[in-house]
Amino acid sequence: MEKQDNKDSKQLKRGLQNRHIQLIALGGAIGTGLFLGIGKAATLAGPAVILGYAFAGIIAFFIMRQLGEMVVEEPVSGSFSYFANKYWGSFAGYASGWNYWVLYILVSMAELTAIGVYVQFWWPEIPLWGSSLFFFFAINALNLASVKIYGETEFWFSIIKVVAIIAMIVFGVYLLVSGTGGEQASLSNLTSHGGFFPKGWFNQTGDGSYEGLLSALALIMFSFGGLELVGITAAEAEHPEKNIPKATNQVIYRILIFYVGALIILFSLTPWTNITADTSPFVLVFDKLNGFEFSLFGKTFQFTKIIANALNLIVLTAALSVYNSSVYSNSRMLYGLAEQGNAPKFLSKLNKNHAPINAILVSAVFAAICVFINYVAPKNALEILMSLVVSSLIINWVMISITHLYFRKNKLDVHVQTKFPSFLYPLSNYICLIFLIAVLGIMWITGMKLPVELIPVWLVLLYLSYVLIKRKNKD
């Protein structure tokens, strides 16, 4: 019994229940990209951006199914890094794991910066670095507790986001059906004002910039970053063979409901020509409530201040949710890399709550750089950090799809029928890879050259560090 307890103390604990997995998956599909990032894409493509989100959502779903097939077959720590290491090669496992870790360190920094901005809405006297530092300590402390605490926290963060989106969609439908949305609120807005494709597919404007549906694809794709988090939870999920497929399959419906549904409401309530790069569908819909009043206990209340505060609370919750998930996924990826031998062994140490304490602390040290960036460059911090996320995200999705090709080839060679096969293998893999490469091409043409140029530089740095570490281990 004593030996068994000692063995269990060195393993991650399966403390994530079905409801946790479902909401973690849902939270991964709903981030600040939905709440705040749609406006810029809408100005580039008009109503056609709805089609762009639907297509990018299908690509994201293909990749989720490819990852889902692997983690259901082998629910282990390290997720796609483990599979790349086992089925593709040692460097592939090393590169995919460390790339993912760096990606979510950058995302952590960006979200901590966003949190500071949202807190200043209520308390402008609090410096950006001050609120970032407070939530940095709070979220990391939560993750040092048991995985169930993380799951419970993320469950409620996601509930708030889901309720907010459903409320927005329901209220938007009410405004359209009842006629209280004003004379300009109509489904005809989807095709009037230049048609469904007012900016075409891909056109260069007089000032040298580009517009059209294809020019918005890069912005659209990044809204779906985080969906792969379900794969990270596999080693700590109860009944992963049942709960992971359920969560993965529901991703496509969530995308259709929350992204496509919200956009249809957005473009119906007002002509797309009224939308600016800073417009949020929530701001637009809730703004319709500004003239509404209600009475309670003999007092009359106006919605104006309530709406502004509610919206800020929602986007703050979304940012906290993403940062919470970043801390979780980064620590588990480092733990998995240590288990593979692709990271220092001390990173696989677990505390009494079965949380990878050293992996959490090391990730926290690097994410804390964000507090310093916010101190020295508070105005440019968010823009700087988000531009660095782009290249890492592309690499991550490409490596998942390629790893899956190697995985399936191996299973076919040994005549193993997987429990949760992906759709349209291998065609869906090639579609995903062509799409991602096309997005890189569009980014290059439209002026986002730096993230594209960073990809080969980053891969070379990863390879050099890999060679040095392997050589050191041999010595």
Side-chain angles (χ1 to χ4, degrees):
M1 178 63 72
E2 187 175 337
K3 286 185 178 179
Q4 182 65 37
D5 290 342
N6 184 53
K7 182 182 177 182
D8 290 345
S9 68
K10 295 180 180 179
Q11 296 177 344
L12 296 174
K13 191 175 183 180
R14 294 194 181 276
L16 295 176
Q17 302 170 7
N18 177 51
R19 66 186 179 90
H20 295 139
I21 299 295
Q22 297 298 315
L23 268 295
I24 287 170
L26 188 51
I30 305 169
T32 48
L34 173 60
F35 291 101
L36 297 173
I38 285 177
K40 176 64 175 176
T43 59
L44 289 173
V49 80
I50 298 171
L51 185 63
Y53 273 94
F55 184 72
I58 292 170
I59 297 296
F61 178 63
F62 282 158
I63 291 174
M64 281 298 299
R65 281 299 300 257
Q66 291 158 19
L67 178 58
E69 179 177 359
M70 294 187 287
V71 298
V72 168
E73 201 67 23
E74 300 176 53
V76 295
S77 62
S79 187
F80 42 84
S81 172
Y82 166 86
F83 297 109
N85 185 73
K86 181 176 179 179
Y87 295 103
W88 187 354
S90 180
F91 173 65
Y94 176 91
S96 63
W98 282 108
N99 174 74
Y100 186 79
W101 181 77
V102 168
L103 165 62
Y104 276 95
I105 287 295
L106 294 171
V107 170
S108 294
M109 292 179 178
E111 294 301 332
L112 278 171
T113 303
I115 288 167
V117 173
Y118 302 145
V119 169
Q120 284 186 337
F121 175 83
W122 291 307
W123 300 287
E125 68 277 7
I126 296 179
L128 208 60
W129 65 266
S131 49
S132 296
L133 187 64
F134 172 80
F135 285 107
F136 166 80
F137 280 114
I139 296 296
N140 278 284
L142 280 173
N143 277 269
L144 285 169
S146 68
V147 69
K148 192 169 184 179
I149 298 296
Y150 159 73
E152 204 64 39
T153 305
E154 193 56 32
F155 175 85
W156 288 106
F157 278 157
S158 295
I159 284 287
I160 292 172
K161 292 190 287 186
V162 170
V163 169
I165 294 172
I166 293 174
M168 187 275 290
I169 292 174
V170 169
F171 184 70
V173 171
Y174 165 75
L175 291 175
L176 288 170
V177 173
S178 66
T180 52
E183 293 182 1
Q184 63 179 5
S186 169
L187 285 173
S188 64
N189 285 327
L190 294 171
T191 54
S192 54
H193 309 284
F196 188 71
F197 281 89
K199 300 290 186 78
W201 286 94
F202 193 60
N203 300 302
Q204 189 172 20
T205 62
D207 61 1
S209 61
Y210 288 84
E211 61 184 14
L213 178 57
L214 295 180
S215 69
L217 277 183
L219 293 171
I220 292 169
M221 194 196 73
F222 301 131
S223 297
F224 298 113
L227 287 173
E228 67 282 344
L229 181 60
V230 176
I232 303 292
T233 67
E236 294 169 280
E238 292 181 355
H239 312 298
E241 71 286 346
K242 180 177 69 175
N243 294 334
I244 298 294
K246 189 183 295 184
T248 302
N249 282 334
Q250 289 177 1
V251 166
I252 189 66
Y253 305 115
R254 293 165 187 150
I255 289 170
L256 289 173
I257 293 170
F258 295 128
Y259 279 89
V260 178
L263 282 168
I264 290 173
I265 297 298
L266 167 65
F267 286 105
S268 297
L269 285 173
T270 188
W272 71 269
T273 49
N274 292 343
I275 299 171
T276 66
D278 299 323
T279 301
S280 159
F282 285 86
V283 172
L284 193 69
V285 173
F286 287 156
D287 191 54
K288 298 286 184 178
L289 278 169
N290 283 340
F292 280 50
E293 295 182 347
F294 69 97
S295 297
L296 187 65
F297 303 120
K299 291 185 177 181
T300 300
F301 297 87
Q302 289 187 343
F303 268 105
T304 308
K305 288 187 177 180
I306 296 175
I307 293 163
N309 284 283
L311 176 62
N312 199 62
L313 177 63
I314 291 164
V315 293
L316 175 60
T317 300
L320 286 169
S321 171
V322 174
Y323 179 52
N324 187 38
S325 293
S326 295
V327 172
Y328 170 80
S329 59
N330 263 350
S331 62
R332 271 54 181 185
M333 183 57 75
L334 274 190
Y335 174 85
L337 284 167
E339 290 283 288
Q340 298 166 24
N342 283 324
K345 200 65 182 174
F346 80 94
L347 293 171
S348 64
K349 181 182 177 181
L350 303 179
N351 64 12
K352 64 180 181 180
N353 297 316
H354 297 266
I357 179 171
N358 289 339
I360 291 173
L361 294 176
V362 167
S363 297
V365 168
F366 282 89
I369 297 171
C370 162
V371 179
F372 175 73
I373 293 174
N374 282 322
Y375 180 74
V376 298
K379 292 183 178 179
N380 302 320
L382 191 59
E383 182 181 345
I384 293 168
L385 292 169
M386 289 312 294
S387 66
L388 294 173
V389 168
V390 177
S391 54
S392 294
L393 182 60
I394 293 270
I395 294 169
N396 183 41
W397 280 24
V398 165
M399 294 197 80
I400 289 174
S401 207
I402 294 176
T403 296
H404 179 258
L405 287 170
Y406 281 101
F407 168 85
R408 276 297 290 269
K409 182 180 184 302
N410 177 273
K411 297 304 176 186
L412 289 171
D413 287 345
V414 295
H415 307 290
V416 171
Q417 181 64 46
T418 56
K419 304 182 188 75
F420 186 49
S422 64
F423 281 131
L424 302 175
Y425 164 84
L427 179 61
S428 63
N429 298 72
Y430 297 133
I431 291 172
C432 292
L433 293 171
I434 291 169
F435 173 81
L436 293 169
I437 292 169
V439 169
L440 286 177
I442 291 168
M443 289 168 59
W444 179 271
I445 294 170
T446 56
M448 295 178 67
K449 289 186 177 182
L450 181 61
V452 181
E453 291 170 342
L454 283 175
I455 291 178
V457 175
W458 174 228
L459 290 176
V460 168
L461 288 174
L462 281 172
Y463 182 72
L464 291 175
S465 65
Y466 169 78
V467 170
L468 288 172
I469 289 172
K470 292 301 178 183
R471 184 177 298 171
K472 185 179 179 181
N473 289 342
K474 284 182 180 179
D475 296 339

